[in-house]
Amino acid sequence: MDKDPRYQLGNPKLKDLILDGTKIEWHLDRVRAWERGERIAPITIDMALTRACNYGCGFCYAKLQENERKSITREVIFNFLEDCAEIGVKAISFVSDGESTISPVFVDAVKKGHELGLSMSVATNALVLNRRKLEEIMPCLTYLRVNFSGGEPKRYAEIMGVPEKWFFQVCQNITDMMEIKRKNNLDVTVGMQMVLMPQDADQVIPLAKLGKKLRPDYLIIKHCSDNEDGALGVNYAGYKGLYDILREAEAYSDDEYMVKVKWSKIEQEGKRNYQRCYGAPFILQMSGSGLVAPCGPLFNEQYKKFHIGNITENRFKDIWQSDKYWEVMNYLASPEFNAQNMCGSLCLQHMVNEKLDAYMKDKIELVTPTGSPPAHINFV
């Protein structure tokens, strides 16, 4: 098809997007402070505004993360965002273990974080993101990513546990996102994401084709994470037989639409090459219950010894400054902790962990990269 120059308006160059890697080397001031033993603020916080969700995806890790549910009110989230801005957090992503868009405080939280100078992002099933809400939030976002794991209505409904008609509503919402982006010349990056279970490989090519029709900036195809007990039943060896299909999907890319497979994690088949977790102080995860824990795999009540506090009960800056917070972080980075057998597979912090583990073992040097900073720099 002919190139449409409208898709270039306000659109970060696709080559500047790092969708399968880490940007930790662009934050060496924070790394050096961490090396000195300083109590650093996270660069990025990945969180949800609620534990609730209106979808029932078969691959959903959140079903393994149940903890005591508490309500994140407008006052709670505003206090939290103000604390983040004060202590030096750079970015907030509303992702984590619930569908943040169904929270009554969602729109206000996005706008408040942006007003405070925080980089804001959202990952969502996008069902309730009607045009009115999109007009309000899109100027405040760095990226907006739609979780979309089926390219055909019937299979979308089966994989994501919803009525078929929701497929068409979300497609319309994505179309609206792109129209709003072009109309207002916004910098926000709009993406789609498939969480791929090997048994759903029949949807890879239909989804790549659908993306080419809807024209988001990118479609990312990623692995499915599982816990240390394999509760979701992810067949990691099964990904190897999908390489040809995945390469075919990437071939649907053009100048304004990129299909990207997260090869680094898919090829690792759920295995880690490191034991200590260094990434949690740099990328903190929080539950939609308000729970502060180092990472998503440790949200469940059975990991209560890793639970540090709750923003519905205490200010985040006080939790972050507490001895408990740093006792947990230091334990994860100690010889007593082994991520290879005490953690779920390929977590959010995985790429940072790989980089910092190699650095701490003197296998690589960390130097500030040259050239222009990448897009979404504060989401490490």
Side-chain angles (χ1 to χ4, degrees):
M1 62 184 296
D2 293 334
K3 296 178 184 178
D4 185 340
R6 294 176 303 168
Y7 287 102
Q8 302 284 6
L9 295 178
N11 183 12
K13 294 179 181 177
L14 295 182
K15 67 179 180 62
D16 292 334
L17 287 176
I18 298 176
L19 298 175
D20 188 17
T22 176
K23 309 177 194 78
I24 192 66
E25 287 168 291
W26 291 92
H27 300 274
L28 289 190
D29 57 335
R30 201 74 50 112
V31 175
R32 302 304 182 214
W34 169 74
E35 284 187 278
R36 294 192 295 268
E38 297 178 22
R39 295 186 169 187
I40 61 167
I43 301 166
T44 308
I45 296 180
D46 177 292
M47 65 179 300
L49 295 170
T50 177
R51 280 276 298 142
C53 187
N54 48 356
Y55 273 51
C57 303
F59 54 78
C60 184
Y61 198 96
K63 67 183 72 173
L64 310 177
Q65 297 173 295
E66 194 59 57
N67 56 78
E68 185 180 355
R69 299 197 181 199
K70 298 184 179 180
S71 178
I72 298 178
T73 64
R74 190 174 187 272
E75 179 183 9
V76 167
I77 192 61
F78 276 27
N79 286 342
F80 168 78
L81 292 169
E82 288 168 0
D83 286 351
C84 286
E86 179 182 331
I87 69 173
V89 174
K90 297 183 178 182
I92 305 291
S93 54
F94 289 138
V95 186
S96 202
D97 60 343
E99 177 55 44
S100 291
T101 63
I102 65 175
S103 164
V105 304
F106 168 69
V107 172
D108 286 344
V110 170
K111 293 165 71 174
K112 178 67 172 179
H114 178 68
E115 290 169 7
L116 290 167
L118 297 165
S119 297
M120 303 297 294
S121 70
V122 175
T124 170
N125 58 49
L127 180 70
V128 302
L129 285 185
N130 57 39
R131 196 174 188 102
R132 178 187 61 79
K133 290 180 181 177
L134 290 170
E135 294 274 11
E136 287 194 72
I137 65 168
M138 287 186 68
C140 303
L141 295 175
T142 299
Y143 73 80
L144 173 56
R145 190 178 70 225
V146 180
N147 299 320
F148 204 109
S149 291
E152 300 166 320
K154 185 175 185 296
R155 292 288 284 123
Y156 173 93
E158 291 170 353
I159 294 168
M160 304 192 75
V162 297
E164 253 182 78
K165 63 182 180 180
W166 289 11
F167 172 93
F168 302 100
Q169 181 60 58
V170 177
C171 285
Q172 181 59 54
N173 292 348
I174 294 171
T175 298
D176 289 345
M177 291 172 195
M178 298 310 295
E179 288 180 357
I180 292 167
K181 172 176 173 167
R182 293 193 301 267
K183 179 186 71 174
N184 298 305
N185 193 22
L186 299 177
D187 287 335
V188 59
T189 304
V190 177
M192 297 169 69
Q193 176 175 276
M194 179 185 202
V195 178
L196 175 62
M197 295 275 268
Q199 61 265 33
D200 298 325
D202 64 296
Q203 290 303 290
V204 170
I205 301 305
L207 185 55
K209 292 179 178 179
L210 178 66
K212 201 168 182 75
K213 177 182 176 182
L214 297 177
R215 310 299 299 173
D217 297 307
Y218 68 84
L219 163 66
I220 192 162
I221 302 170
K222 69 184 290 287
H223 68 293
C224 181
S225 294
D226 209 339
N227 71 358
E228 63 269 37
D229 300 320
L232 294 179
V234 183
N235 174 21
Y236 284 107
Y239 287 117
K240 187 170 291 186
L242 307 181
Y243 287 3
D244 287 345
I245 293 173
L246 294 173
R247 292 189 190 99
E248 181 183 348
E250 289 189 320
Y252 282 88
S253 301
D254 57 44
D255 288 347
E256 293 92 24
Y257 165 64
M258 177 169 61
V259 180
K260 177 66 178 177
V261 175
K262 279 200 171 184
W263 288 107
S264 63
K265 291 186 178 182
I266 284 178
E267 291 176 338
Q268 286 175 328
E269 298 184 1
K271 300 170 185 174
R272 301 172 187 267
N273 58 17
Y274 57 87
Q275 295 180 335
R276 301 188 189 187
C277 175
Y278 297 123
F282 299 93
I283 311 179
L284 179 71
Q285 287 183 275
M286 292 171 49
S287 172
S289 66
L291 170 69
V292 178
C295 64
L298 298 177
F299 287 170
N300 192 281
E301 283 295 312
Q302 66 179 305
Y303 304 111
K304 205 168 184 65
K305 70 177 183 178
F306 297 105
H307 295 178
I308 302 164
N310 194 298
I311 61 170
T312 68
E313 299 170 346
N314 299 103
R315 293 290 293 247
F316 177 67
K317 61 183 178 183
D318 295 328
I319 296 171
W320 169 73
Q321 290 170 341
S322 69
D323 290 340
K324 172 70 171 178
Y325 184 100
W326 292 101
E327 286 168 4
V328 169
M329 295 299 175
N330 291 335
Y331 171 74
L332 296 178
S334 75
E336 298 175 44
F337 184 77
N338 187 339
Q340 292 175 338
N341 55 37
M342 298 171 71
C343 281
S345 62
L346 306 181
C347 61
L348 179 68
Q349 294 83 0
H350 177 68
M351 302 300 290
V352 174
N353 277 332
E354 281 197 324
K355 183 76 70 172
L356 292 179
D357 183 72
Y359 171 64
M360 296 298 285
K361 292 174 179 174
D362 293 322
K363 293 181 178 179
I364 63 169
E365 292 185 18
L366 288 181
V367 295
T368 302
T370 58
S372 301
H376 312 169
I377 190 171
N378 291 330
F379 297 91
V380 293

